[in-house]
Amino acid sequence: MASPTRVEAIASFDGGMRIESAVARPDRYRFFDQLAGEGHFISRGGGYSYAAASFGAGATSIDHRSFNRILGFDTATGHVHVEAGLTLGDLFAFLRSRGWYLPTQPGFPAITVGGCIAAECHGKNQLRDGCFSAQVASLELFHPAHGTMTLSRTQNAALFELTCGGFGLTGCILSATLIARPIEGSQVEVRTEAVDDARALPAVLRRHAESADFAYSWHDFNTSAPGPGFVMSGTRAGAPDKAASTPRASDLRWDTRSAFPVAGWNGPTASLATALYRHLSLRERSPRSVPLFDAMFPLATKGAAYFKLFGARGFCEFQAVIPESAFAPFCDAVWSRVRSKPIPITLASAKLFGGDQRFLRFAGSGVNFALDFPRTEAAPAFLEFLDGLTLEMGLVPNAIKDSRLPAAVARRAFPGYDAFAEQLRAFDPKRTFRSEMSERLGL
Ligand SMILES: Cc1cc2nc3c(=O)[nH]c(=O)nc-3n(C[C@H](O)[C@H](O)[C@H](O)COP(=O)(O)OP(=O)(O)OC[C@H]3O[C@@H](n4cnc5c(N)ncnc54)[C@H](O)[C@@H]3O)c2cc1C
Protein backbone atom coordinates (compact mmCIF):
# COMPACT_ATOMS: atom_id res chain seq x y z
CA MET A 1 0.00 0.00 0.00
CA ALA A 2 1.44 3.41 -0.95
CA SER A 3 0.41 5.15 2.26
CA PRO A 4 1.91 4.00 5.58
CA THR A 5 -0.57 2.34 7.91
CA ARG A 6 -0.48 3.10 11.63
CA VAL A 7 -2.21 1.27 14.44
CA GLU A 8 -4.25 3.76 16.48
CA ALA A 9 -6.67 3.58 19.40
CA ILE A 10 -10.05 4.63 17.98
CA ALA A 11 -13.38 5.03 19.73
CA SER A 12 -16.92 5.58 18.55
CA PHE A 13 -18.16 9.12 19.26
CA ASP A 14 -20.39 7.87 22.09
CA GLY A 15 -17.43 6.07 23.73
CA GLY A 16 -19.20 2.69 23.60
CA MET A 17 -16.68 0.93 21.33
CA ARG A 18 -12.92 1.38 21.56
CA ILE A 19 -10.37 -0.71 19.68
CA GLU A 20 -6.87 -0.59 18.21
CA SER A 21 -7.27 -0.28 14.47
CA ALA A 22 -5.00 0.04 11.42
CA VAL A 23 -5.44 3.45 9.77
CA ALA A 24 -4.07 4.66 6.43
CA ARG A 25 -4.25 8.34 5.55
CA PRO A 26 -3.50 8.52 1.83
CA ASP A 27 -3.11 11.80 -0.03
CA ARG A 28 -2.59 10.44 -3.57
CA TYR A 29 -5.10 8.56 -5.77
CA ARG A 30 -2.47 5.95 -6.63
CA PHE A 31 -3.16 4.57 -3.11
CA PHE A 32 -6.49 3.23 -4.42
CA ASP A 33 -4.91 1.72 -7.56
CA GLN A 34 -2.59 -0.28 -5.33
CA LEU A 35 -5.29 -1.61 -2.99
CA ALA A 36 -5.20 -5.36 -3.46
CA GLY A 37 -8.36 -7.42 -3.60
CA GLU A 38 -7.12 -9.15 -0.44
CA GLY A 39 -7.70 -7.77 3.06
CA HIS A 40 -10.54 -5.76 4.51
CA PHE A 41 -11.00 -2.01 4.42
CA ILE A 42 -13.45 0.66 5.50
CA SER A 43 -13.53 4.35 4.64
CA ARG A 44 -13.36 6.91 7.40
CA GLY A 45 -14.38 10.57 7.30
CA GLY A 46 -14.38 12.81 10.36
CA GLY A 47 -14.94 9.84 12.72
CA TYR A 48 -18.05 11.52 14.19
CA SER A 49 -20.35 8.50 14.03
CA TYR A 50 -21.72 7.43 17.37
CA ALA A 51 -21.35 3.80 16.20
CA ALA A 52 -18.08 2.14 15.12
CA ALA A 53 -18.95 2.43 11.44
CA SER A 54 -15.57 3.60 10.10
CA PHE A 55 -13.25 1.18 11.90
CA GLY A 56 -13.17 -2.41 13.06
CA ALA A 57 -10.84 -5.21 14.11
CA GLY A 58 -9.22 -6.76 11.06
CA ALA A 59 -10.07 -3.88 8.71
CA THR A 60 -7.82 -1.01 7.65
CA SER A 61 -9.57 2.34 7.99
CA ILE A 62 -8.93 4.62 5.02
CA ASP A 63 -9.03 8.20 6.28
CA HIS A 64 -10.26 10.38 3.40
CA ARG A 65 -9.62 13.77 4.96
CA SER A 66 -6.61 14.61 2.77
CA PHE A 67 -8.94 14.39 -0.25
CA ASN A 68 -10.72 17.62 0.52
CA ARG A 69 -10.62 19.68 -2.68
CA ILE A 70 -13.44 21.44 -4.47
CA LEU A 71 -13.11 20.20 -8.03
CA GLY A 72 -15.66 22.39 -9.78
CA PHE A 73 -18.64 24.69 -9.27
CA ASP A 74 -21.30 25.58 -11.81
CA THR A 75 -22.72 28.99 -10.92
CA ALA A 76 -25.71 28.46 -13.23
CA THR A 77 -26.96 25.23 -11.63
CA GLY A 78 -25.34 25.26 -8.16
CA HIS A 79 -23.75 21.87 -8.87
CA VAL A 80 -20.54 21.57 -6.83
CA HIS A 81 -18.09 18.71 -7.43
CA VAL A 82 -16.10 17.88 -4.29
CA GLU A 83 -13.76 15.24 -2.92
CA ALA A 84 -15.44 13.09 -0.28
CA GLY A 85 -13.06 14.06 2.54
CA LEU A 86 -14.16 17.72 2.36
CA THR A 87 -15.75 18.87 5.61
CA LEU A 88 -19.19 20.45 5.67
CA GLY A 89 -17.66 23.54 7.33
CA ASP A 90 -15.18 24.10 4.46
CA LEU A 91 -17.90 23.47 1.89
CA PHE A 92 -20.20 25.91 3.69
CA ALA A 93 -17.50 28.65 3.61
CA PHE A 94 -16.86 28.05 -0.13
CA LEU A 95 -20.53 28.08 -1.10
CA ARG A 96 -21.55 30.99 1.11
CA SER A 97 -18.85 33.25 -0.37
CA ARG A 98 -20.58 32.63 -3.74
CA GLY A 99 -24.13 33.05 -2.45
CA TRP A 100 -25.08 29.34 -2.19
CA TYR A 101 -25.58 26.73 0.52
CA LEU A 102 -26.47 23.07 1.01
CA PRO A 103 -29.89 22.75 2.71
CA THR A 104 -29.40 19.31 4.33
CA GLN A 105 -26.46 19.08 6.73
CA PRO A 106 -25.90 17.35 10.08
CA GLY A 107 -25.16 19.70 12.98
CA PHE A 108 -21.34 19.65 13.15
CA PRO A 109 -18.97 21.20 10.58
CA ALA A 110 -16.07 18.69 10.88
CA ILE A 111 -18.30 15.93 9.43
CA THR A 112 -17.33 15.04 5.84
CA VAL A 113 -19.32 14.77 2.63
CA GLY A 114 -18.42 11.04 2.34
CA GLY A 115 -19.69 10.40 5.88
CA CYS A 116 -22.97 12.16 5.07
CA ILE A 117 -23.59 10.14 1.91
CA ALA A 118 -22.66 6.82 3.53
CA ALA A 119 -24.90 7.46 6.55
CA GLU A 120 -27.72 9.13 4.52
CA CYS A 121 -27.71 11.95 7.08
CA HIS A 122 -30.62 14.25 7.75
CA GLY A 123 -30.63 17.98 8.35
CA LYS A 124 -32.93 20.48 10.02
CA ASN A 125 -36.06 19.86 7.95
CA GLN A 126 -36.14 16.35 6.51
CA LEU A 127 -39.90 16.62 5.90
CA ARG A 128 -39.32 19.37 3.33
CA ASP A 129 -35.78 18.69 2.07
CA GLY A 130 -35.38 14.89 2.36
CA CYS A 131 -32.12 13.22 3.40
CA PHE A 132 -28.59 13.91 2.16
CA SER A 133 -28.88 11.83 -1.04
CA ALA A 134 -31.64 14.16 -2.27
CA GLN A 135 -28.88 16.70 -2.96
CA VAL A 136 -26.40 14.20 -4.49
CA ALA A 137 -26.48 14.38 -8.31
CA SER A 138 -23.77 11.71 -8.75
CA LEU A 139 -20.75 10.19 -7.06
CA GLU A 140 -17.58 8.27 -7.91
CA LEU A 141 -17.13 5.01 -6.04
CA PHE A 142 -13.93 2.93 -5.91
CA HIS A 143 -13.88 -0.80 -5.21
CA PRO A 144 -10.70 -2.88 -5.77
CA ALA A 145 -12.64 -5.54 -7.71
CA HIS A 146 -14.67 -3.10 -9.84
CA GLY A 147 -12.42 -0.04 -10.26
CA THR A 148 -13.87 3.47 -10.20
CA MET A 149 -17.52 3.80 -11.16
CA THR A 150 -19.83 6.77 -11.61
CA LEU A 151 -23.14 6.29 -9.81
CA SER A 152 -26.32 8.33 -10.08
CA ARG A 153 -30.06 7.83 -10.36
CA THR A 154 -29.58 7.03 -14.06
CA GLN A 155 -26.13 5.38 -14.12
CA ASN A 156 -25.52 2.28 -11.95
CA ALA A 157 -28.72 3.29 -10.17
CA ALA A 158 -29.00 0.18 -7.97
CA LEU A 159 -25.45 0.66 -6.66
CA PHE A 160 -26.15 4.37 -6.08
CA GLU A 161 -29.10 3.37 -3.87
CA LEU A 162 -26.98 0.80 -2.01
CA THR A 163 -24.15 3.31 -1.45
CA CYS A 164 -26.31 6.19 -0.13
CA GLY A 165 -26.88 4.98 3.42
CA GLY A 166 -24.64 1.95 2.78
CA PHE A 167 -22.21 2.77 5.63
CA GLY A 168 -19.13 2.56 3.38
CA LEU A 169 -19.75 -1.14 2.69
CA THR A 170 -19.86 -0.82 -1.12
CA GLY A 171 -16.41 0.84 -1.29
CA CYS A 172 -14.72 4.23 -1.09
CA ILE A 173 -16.63 7.30 -2.24
CA LEU A 174 -13.95 9.40 -3.92
CA SER A 175 -15.98 12.43 -4.93
CA ALA A 176 -19.55 13.64 -5.36
CA THR A 177 -21.48 16.28 -7.26
CA LEU A 178 -23.85 17.99 -4.85
CA ILE A 179 -26.77 20.28 -5.63
CA ALA A 180 -26.56 23.60 -3.73
CA ARG A 181 -29.31 26.21 -3.43
CA PRO A 182 -29.12 30.02 -3.58
CA ILE A 183 -28.66 31.30 -0.06
CA GLU A 184 -31.50 33.89 0.02
CA GLY A 185 -30.47 35.42 3.34
CA SER A 186 -27.51 34.65 5.56
CA GLN A 187 -29.41 35.19 8.79
CA VAL A 188 -32.09 32.91 10.18
CA GLU A 189 -35.10 34.33 11.97
CA VAL A 190 -35.67 31.87 14.81
CA ARG A 191 -39.01 31.47 16.61
CA THR A 192 -39.54 29.54 19.84
CA GLU A 193 -42.95 28.18 20.84
CA ALA A 194 -43.58 26.43 24.17
CA VAL A 195 -44.93 22.85 24.11
CA ASP A 196 -46.25 21.77 27.52
CA ASP A 197 -46.53 18.09 26.73
CA ALA A 198 -44.39 16.15 24.23
CA ARG A 199 -47.40 14.03 23.27
CA ALA A 200 -48.90 17.07 21.49
CA LEU A 201 -45.73 17.54 19.47
CA PRO A 202 -46.52 16.11 16.00
CA ALA A 203 -49.23 18.66 15.21
CA VAL A 204 -47.14 21.63 16.44
CA LEU A 205 -44.03 20.41 14.64
CA ARG A 206 -45.95 19.89 11.39
CA ARG A 207 -47.28 23.45 11.49
CA HIS A 208 -43.69 24.75 11.69
CA ALA A 209 -41.97 22.21 9.41
CA GLU A 210 -44.33 22.87 6.51
CA SER A 211 -43.53 26.58 6.35
CA ALA A 212 -40.04 27.03 7.86
CA ASP A 213 -36.51 26.15 6.70
CA PHE A 214 -35.65 24.49 10.04
CA ALA A 215 -37.95 22.96 12.64
CA TYR A 216 -37.06 20.86 15.66
CA SER A 217 -38.07 20.48 19.27
CA TRP A 218 -36.40 20.05 22.65
CA HIS A 219 -37.99 18.40 25.73
CA ASP A 220 -37.33 17.91 29.40
CA PHE A 221 -37.91 14.28 30.40
CA ASN A 222 -36.57 14.77 33.95
CA THR A 223 -39.77 16.47 35.20
CA SER A 224 -43.08 15.36 36.68
CA ALA A 225 -44.81 16.04 33.33
CA PRO A 226 -44.21 14.12 30.06
CA GLY A 227 -41.66 16.16 28.14
CA PRO A 228 -42.47 19.87 28.39
CA GLY A 229 -40.25 21.89 26.08
CA PHE A 230 -40.37 24.00 22.95
CA VAL A 231 -40.33 23.92 19.17
CA MET A 232 -37.75 26.07 17.39
CA SER A 233 -38.30 27.00 13.78
CA GLY A 234 -36.17 29.15 11.52
CA THR A 235 -36.62 30.94 8.24
CA ARG A 236 -33.78 32.51 6.25
CA ALA A 237 -33.84 36.29 6.24
CA GLY A 238 -31.68 39.30 5.43
CA ALA A 239 -29.38 39.86 2.46
CA PRO A 240 -26.81 37.19 1.53
CA ASP A 241 -23.56 38.13 3.33
CA LYS A 242 -20.79 36.66 1.18
CA ALA A 243 -18.02 38.09 3.39
CA ALA A 244 -19.15 36.71 6.77
CA SER A 245 -16.44 34.70 8.57
CA THR A 246 -16.89 31.05 9.59
CA PRO A 247 -16.35 30.44 13.34
CA ARG A 248 -13.83 27.85 14.45
CA ALA A 249 -15.62 24.71 15.66
CA SER A 250 -14.92 23.31 19.13
CA ASP A 251 -13.01 20.06 19.35
CA LEU A 252 -15.52 17.32 20.14
CA ARG A 253 -13.30 14.33 19.33
CA TRP A 254 -13.53 11.38 21.67
CA ASP A 255 -9.89 11.52 22.84
CA THR A 256 -10.05 15.18 23.89
CA ARG A 257 -13.41 14.67 25.58
CA SER A 258 -12.29 11.59 27.48
CA ALA A 259 -9.42 13.58 29.04
CA PHE A 260 -12.12 15.27 31.15
CA PRO A 261 -11.73 13.21 34.36
CA VAL A 262 -15.18 13.39 36.00
CA ALA A 263 -18.54 12.42 34.58
CA GLY A 264 -20.60 15.51 35.39
CA TRP A 265 -23.98 14.25 34.17
CA ASN A 266 -26.10 12.50 36.82
CA GLY A 267 -29.71 12.74 38.08
CA PRO A 268 -29.43 16.11 39.90
CA THR A 269 -27.20 17.84 37.29
CA ALA A 270 -29.37 16.65 34.38
CA SER A 271 -32.57 17.83 36.13
CA LEU A 272 -31.06 21.20 36.98
CA ALA A 273 -29.47 21.77 33.56
CA THR A 274 -32.57 20.76 31.55
CA ALA A 275 -34.88 22.90 33.74
CA LEU A 276 -32.53 25.88 33.38
CA TYR A 277 -32.10 25.38 29.63
CA ARG A 278 -35.88 25.25 29.12
CA HIS A 279 -36.39 28.36 31.23
CA LEU A 280 -33.67 30.36 29.43
CA SER A 281 -34.70 29.20 25.96
CA LEU A 282 -38.32 30.22 26.52
CA ARG A 283 -37.20 33.62 27.79
CA GLU A 284 -35.14 34.32 24.67
CA ARG A 285 -36.49 36.91 22.28
CA SER A 286 -38.77 35.39 19.61
CA PRO A 287 -38.23 35.94 16.75
CA ARG A 288 -34.50 36.56 16.95
CA SER A 289 -31.84 36.67 14.28
CA VAL A 290 -29.11 33.99 14.19
CA PRO A 291 -26.25 33.72 11.64
CA LEU A 292 -26.86 30.95 9.08
CA PHE A 293 -23.67 29.08 10.16
CA ASP A 294 -24.89 28.91 13.79
CA ALA A 295 -28.31 27.70 12.67
CA MET A 296 -26.83 24.99 10.41
CA PHE A 297 -24.20 23.86 12.93
CA PRO A 298 -25.67 24.54 16.40
CA LEU A 299 -23.10 22.26 18.08
CA ALA A 300 -20.08 23.89 16.43
CA THR A 301 -19.33 26.37 19.16
CA LYS A 302 -21.69 25.42 22.01
CA GLY A 303 -21.54 21.63 22.14
CA ALA A 304 -18.14 20.94 23.72
CA ALA A 305 -19.16 21.32 27.39
CA TYR A 306 -22.29 19.19 26.91
CA PHE A 307 -20.27 16.26 25.51
CA LYS A 308 -17.25 16.69 27.82
CA LEU A 309 -19.51 16.37 30.86
CA PHE A 310 -20.14 12.71 29.97
CA GLY A 311 -16.48 12.10 30.90
CA ALA A 312 -14.39 9.11 29.85
CA ARG A 313 -17.23 6.57 30.08
CA GLY A 314 -19.24 8.37 27.39
CA PHE A 315 -22.96 8.36 26.68
CA CYS A 316 -25.72 6.54 24.79
CA GLU A 317 -28.09 7.89 22.18
CA PHE A 318 -31.31 6.26 21.11
CA GLN A 319 -32.81 7.74 17.95
CA ALA A 320 -35.77 6.39 16.02
CA VAL A 321 -38.41 7.40 13.50
CA ILE A 322 -41.72 6.87 15.30
CA PRO A 323 -44.99 6.65 13.33
CA GLU A 324 -47.10 9.69 14.31
CA SER A 325 -49.87 7.43 15.66
CA ALA A 326 -47.40 5.72 18.02
CA PHE A 327 -45.75 8.91 19.26
CA ALA A 328 -48.02 9.64 22.26
CA PRO A 329 -47.92 6.00 23.52
CA PHE A 330 -44.13 6.02 23.02
CA CYS A 331 -43.77 9.21 25.13
CA ASP A 332 -46.01 7.72 27.83
CA ALA A 333 -43.98 4.52 27.93
CA VAL A 334 -40.62 6.35 28.13
CA TRP A 335 -41.83 8.84 30.70
CA SER A 336 -43.31 6.12 32.98
CA ARG A 337 -40.14 4.07 32.66
CA VAL A 338 -37.89 7.05 33.52
CA ARG A 339 -40.05 7.73 36.57
CA SER A 340 -40.10 4.13 37.79
CA LYS A 341 -36.41 3.43 37.05
CA PRO A 342 -34.74 6.85 37.07
CA ILE A 343 -32.10 7.59 34.45
CA PRO A 344 -30.89 11.13 33.71
CA ILE A 345 -32.09 12.24 30.27
CA THR A 346 -29.65 14.92 29.11
CA LEU A 347 -31.33 15.48 25.74
CA ALA A 348 -34.72 14.72 24.20
CA SER A 349 -35.30 16.24 20.81
CA ALA A 350 -37.49 15.69 17.76
CA LYS A 351 -37.85 16.55 14.07
CA LEU A 352 -40.57 15.58 11.60
CA PHE A 353 -39.70 13.07 8.85
CA GLY A 354 -41.53 12.22 5.64
CA GLY A 355 -41.07 9.81 2.73
CA ASP A 356 -40.22 6.15 2.43
CA GLN A 357 -37.64 4.02 4.26
CA ARG A 358 -35.29 1.65 2.40
CA PHE A 359 -32.49 -0.79 3.33
CA LEU A 360 -30.88 0.23 6.65
CA ARG A 361 -31.46 3.95 6.16
CA PHE A 362 -32.63 6.17 8.96
CA ALA A 363 -35.72 7.40 7.12
CA GLY A 364 -39.47 6.96 6.88
CA SER A 365 -42.52 8.90 7.85
CA GLY A 366 -43.09 10.04 11.44
CA VAL A 367 -41.34 11.78 14.31
CA ASN A 368 -37.55 11.46 14.53
CA PHE A 369 -37.00 11.36 18.28
CA ALA A 370 -33.59 11.29 20.05
CA LEU A 371 -32.73 10.60 23.68
CA ASP A 372 -29.25 10.98 25.26
CA PHE A 373 -28.23 9.62 28.64
CA PRO A 374 -24.94 8.81 30.38
CA ARG A 375 -23.34 5.38 29.88
CA THR A 376 -24.02 4.17 33.44
CA GLU A 377 -24.86 0.74 34.86
CA ALA A 378 -28.55 1.55 34.27
CA ALA A 379 -28.05 2.31 30.56
CA PRO A 380 -28.03 -1.25 29.08
CA ALA A 381 -31.40 -2.14 30.64
CA PHE A 382 -32.91 1.16 29.45
CA LEU A 383 -31.59 0.50 25.92
CA GLU A 384 -33.11 -2.98 25.99
CA PHE A 385 -36.41 -1.43 27.03
CA LEU A 386 -36.14 0.97 24.06
CA ASP A 387 -35.30 -1.98 21.75
CA GLY A 388 -38.53 -3.58 22.98
CA LEU A 389 -40.53 -0.43 22.11
CA THR A 390 -38.79 -0.31 18.71
CA LEU A 391 -40.03 -3.77 17.77
CA GLU A 392 -43.42 -3.49 19.45
CA MET A 393 -44.31 -0.09 17.94
CA GLY A 394 -42.65 -0.48 14.53
CA LEU A 395 -39.94 2.19 14.95
CA VAL A 396 -36.95 2.65 12.64
CA PRO A 397 -33.75 2.89 14.71
CA ASN A 398 -30.72 4.96 13.69
CA ALA A 399 -27.85 2.47 13.38
CA ILE A 400 -25.19 5.20 13.03
CA LYS A 401 -26.19 6.69 16.42
CA ASP A 402 -26.18 3.47 18.49
CA SER A 403 -22.86 1.69 19.00
CA ARG A 404 -24.51 -1.46 20.37
CA LEU A 405 -27.68 -1.94 18.27
CA PRO A 406 -28.02 -5.76 18.21
CA ALA A 407 -28.34 -7.65 14.92
CA ALA A 408 -31.52 -9.31 16.21
CA VAL A 409 -33.20 -5.90 16.55
CA ALA A 410 -31.85 -4.55 13.24
CA ARG A 411 -33.07 -7.64 11.33
CA ARG A 412 -36.62 -7.14 12.55
CA ALA A 413 -36.71 -3.34 12.61
CA PHE A 414 -35.46 -2.77 9.03
CA PRO A 415 -37.80 -4.42 6.50
CA GLY A 416 -35.02 -4.02 3.89
CA TYR A 417 -32.31 -5.72 5.98
CA ASP A 418 -32.22 -8.95 3.91
CA ALA A 419 -32.36 -7.10 0.59
CA PHE A 420 -29.45 -4.88 1.68
CA ALA A 421 -27.33 -7.85 2.81
CA GLU A 422 -28.11 -9.83 -0.37
CA GLN A 423 -27.36 -6.97 -2.77
CA LEU A 424 -24.13 -6.20 -0.91
CA ARG A 425 -22.99 -9.82 -1.26
CA ALA A 426 -23.98 -9.95 -4.92
CA PHE A 427 -21.85 -6.86 -5.62
CA ASP A 428 -18.92 -7.96 -3.46
CA PRO A 429 -18.99 -11.68 -2.58
CA LYS A 430 -15.75 -11.30 -0.60
CA ARG A 431 -17.28 -8.52 1.52
CA THR A 432 -14.09 -6.47 1.22
CA PHE A 433 -15.40 -3.45 3.15
CA ARG A 434 -16.34 -4.11 6.78
CA SER A 435 -16.46 -2.36 10.12
CA GLU A 436 -17.25 -3.26 13.71
CA MET A 437 -20.81 -2.11 12.97
CA SER A 438 -21.23 -4.27 9.86
CA GLU A 439 -19.85 -7.31 11.71
CA ARG A 440 -22.07 -6.68 14.74
CA LEU A 441 -25.15 -6.30 12.52
CA GLY A 442 -24.32 -9.55 10.72
CA LEU A 443 -23.83 -7.92 7.31
C1 LIG B 1 -22.18 16.73 17.07
C2 LIG B 1 -22.82 15.83 16.07
C3 LIG B 1 -23.99 16.21 15.42
C4 LIG B 1 -24.60 15.36 14.49
N1 LIG B 1 -25.75 15.77 13.89
C5 LIG B 1 -26.37 14.95 13.00
C6 LIG B 1 -27.55 15.35 12.32
O1 LIG B 1 -28.08 16.44 12.55
N2 LIG B 1 -28.06 14.51 11.39
C7 LIG B 1 -27.48 13.30 11.10
O2 LIG B 1 -27.99 12.57 10.23
N3 LIG B 1 -26.37 12.90 11.73
C8 LIG B 1 -25.80 13.69 12.67
N4 LIG B 1 -24.65 13.28 13.29
C9 LIG B 1 -24.06 11.98 12.90
C10 LIG B 1 -23.06 12.15 11.75
O3 LIG B 1 -23.53 13.07 10.81
C11 LIG B 1 -22.85 10.85 11.01
O4 LIG B 1 -22.44 9.85 11.87
C12 LIG B 1 -21.85 10.97 9.84
O5 LIG B 1 -21.84 9.77 9.14
C13 LIG B 1 -20.45 11.29 10.33
O6 LIG B 1 -19.61 11.52 9.22
P1 LIG B 1 -18.04 11.49 9.33
O7 LIG B 1 -17.46 12.31 8.23
O8 LIG B 1 -17.60 11.84 10.70
O9 LIG B 1 -17.73 9.96 8.98
P2 LIG B 1 -17.32 8.70 9.87
O10 LIG B 1 -17.98 8.75 11.18
O11 LIG B 1 -15.84 8.56 9.82
O12 LIG B 1 -17.97 7.55 8.97
C14 LIG B 1 -19.36 7.41 8.91
C15 LIG B 1 -19.74 6.35 7.87
O13 LIG B 1 -19.44 6.88 6.59
C16 LIG B 1 -18.55 6.01 5.89
N5 LIG B 1 -17.68 6.88 5.10
C17 LIG B 1 -17.03 8.00 5.49
N6 LIG B 1 -16.35 8.52 4.46
C18 LIG B 1 -16.57 7.70 3.39
C19 LIG B 1 -16.11 7.68 2.04
N7 LIG B 1 -15.31 8.61 1.53
N8 LIG B 1 -16.51 6.65 1.25
C20 LIG B 1 -17.34 5.68 1.72
N9 LIG B 1 -17.80 5.67 2.97
C21 LIG B 1 -17.42 6.66 3.80
C22 LIG B 1 -17.82 5.23 6.96
O14 LIG B 1 -17.34 3.99 6.49
C23 LIG B 1 -18.93 5.07 8.00
O15 LIG B 1 -19.75 3.97 7.67
C24 LIG B 1 -24.02 14.10 14.22
C25 LIG B 1 -22.83 13.72 14.85
C26 LIG B 1 -22.25 14.57 15.78
C27 LIG B 1 -21.00 14.12 16.46
Side-chain angles (χ1 to χ4, degrees):
M1 240 182 276
S3 164
T5 300
R6 292 196 334 206
V7 174
E8 293 176 15
I10 312 189
S12 54
F13 184 73
D14 68 358
M17 180 52 61
R18 304 172 211 194
I19 59 166
E20 301 267 306
S21 180
V23 181
R25 190 168 184 176
D27 57 4
R28 296 282 185 277
Y29 281 106
R30 64 172 177 267
F31 168 87
F32 296 100
D33 297 336
Q34 291 165 15
L35 273 192
E38 302 306 317
H40 298 297
F41 307 97
I42 189 72
S43 286
R44 182 165 168 84
Y48 282 97
S49 292
Y50 292 40
S54 58
F55 60 93
T60 300
S61 288
I62 301 171
D63 184 331
H64 282 256
R65 284 175 299 171
S66 298
F67 299 105
N68 61 355
R69 289 174 303 166
I70 290 158
L71 303 169
F73 179 54
D74 183 335
T75 50
T77 60
H79 282 208
V80 59
H81 186 203
V82 302
E83 289 181 323
L86 183 71
T87 64
L88 297 178
D90 286 348
L91 178 58
F92 180 89
F94 172 87
L95 287 174
R96 189 194 31 204
S97 67
R98 287 154 180 83
W100 296 76
Y101 86 122
L102 216 53
T104 298
Q105 320 217 14
F108 194 64
I111 289 166
T112 66
V113 168
C116 289
I117 297 173
E120 181 65 324
C121 286
H122 58 271
K124 307 285 173 297
N125 192 347
Q126 194 275 357
L127 184 74
R128 198 188 67 176
D129 299 322
C131 288
F132 201 85
S133 66
Q135 54 194 12
V136 179
S138 64
L139 62 89
E140 281 74 49
L141 181 79
F142 173 81
H143 187 289
H146 298 276
T148 302
M149 292 159 286
T150 300
L151 319 181
S152 71
R153 286 177 188 80
T154 52
Q155 201 174 349
N156 296 309
L159 192 53
F160 179 78
E161 287 294 312
L162 208 60
T163 299
C164 296
F167 304 118
L169 303 176
T170 56
C172 302
I173 300 165
L174 302 181
S175 68
T177 298
L178 307 175
I179 308 162
R181 276 195 209 154
I183 215 160
E184 293 163 3
S186 49
Q187 294 287 314
V188 176
E189 197 157 274
V190 176
R191 289 186 156 72
T192 309
E193 179 180 330
V195 178
D196 294 333
D197 182 330
R199 293 170 296 189
L201 182 69
V204 185
L205 211 44
R206 181 167 294 283
R207 181 156 42 79
H208 286 272
E210 279 172 352
S211 57
D213 294 320
F214 310 146
Y216 50 92
S217 69
W218 179 95
H219 305 273
D220 188 350
F221 267 79
N222 302 306
T223 67
S224 55
F230 52 86
V231 169
M232 283 216 310
S233 61
T235 308
R236 278 164 302 142
D241 178 3
K242 296 183 181 175
S245 63
T246 305
R248 207 179 130 79
S250 16
D251 186 356
L252 293 187
R253 281 177 308 129
W254 167 253
D255 43 351
T256 41
R257 282 193 291 123
S258 62
F260 198 68
V262 221
W265 287 125
N266 53 42
T269 57
S271 294
L272 191 67
T274 49
L276 192 65
Y277 183 65
R278 178 157 67 101
H279 176 72
L280 294 176
S281 301
L282 287 171
R283 279 192 49 174
E284 272 192 302
R285 208 159 27 88
S286 177
R288 63 184 190 285
S289 192
V290 171
L292 182 61
F293 179 89
D294 294 5
M296 295 303 270
F297 305 116
L299 294 164
T301 49
K302 294 183 198 151
Y306 171 74
F307 288 113
K308 274 186 182 166
L309 279 172
F310 287 109
R313 73 185 175 193
F315 68 104
C316 306
E317 178 158 321
F318 167 83
Q319 188 171 37
V321 179
I322 304 168
E324 276 193 44
S325 58
F327 189 67
F330 172 85
C331 288
D332 276 333
V334 169
W335 183 63
S336 330
R337 163 78 193 206
V338 170
R339 283 180 75 73
S340 62
K341 297 197 169 130
I343 188 155
I345 303 293
T346 52
L347 175 126
S349 177
K351 297 171 189 169
L352 213 55
F353 267 35
D356 297 330
Q357 193 278 335
R358 205 174 170 201
F359 295 140
L360 305 189
R361 291 180 187 165
F362 184 60
S365 198
V367 180
N368 158 7
F369 190 72
L371 284 172
D372 282 8
F373 40 97
R375 188 173 291 284
T376 59
E377 299 66 40
F382 186 48
L383 283 161
E384 266 179 45
F385 163 79
L386 292 167
D387 284 344
L389 291 186
T390 299
L391 298 179
E392 199 183 299
M393 296 183 166
L395 318 185
V396 177
N398 191 351
I400 206 83
K401 287 279 187 89
D402 184 345
S403 66
R404 54 96 252 169
L405 184 70
V409 176
R411 274 199 190 98
R412 288 175 58 197
F414 294 107
Y417 175 100
D418 287 337
F420 181 78
E422 276 160 28
Q423 290 188 33
L424 201 54
R425 273 180 203 284
F427 172 65
D428 176 14
K430 286 187 182 169
R431 290 287 297 103
T432 310
F433 290 83
R434 3 182 120 174
S435 60
E436 186 281 334
M437 183 174 111
S438 72
E439 295 289 286
R440 172 169 41 83
L441 295 182
L443 298 165

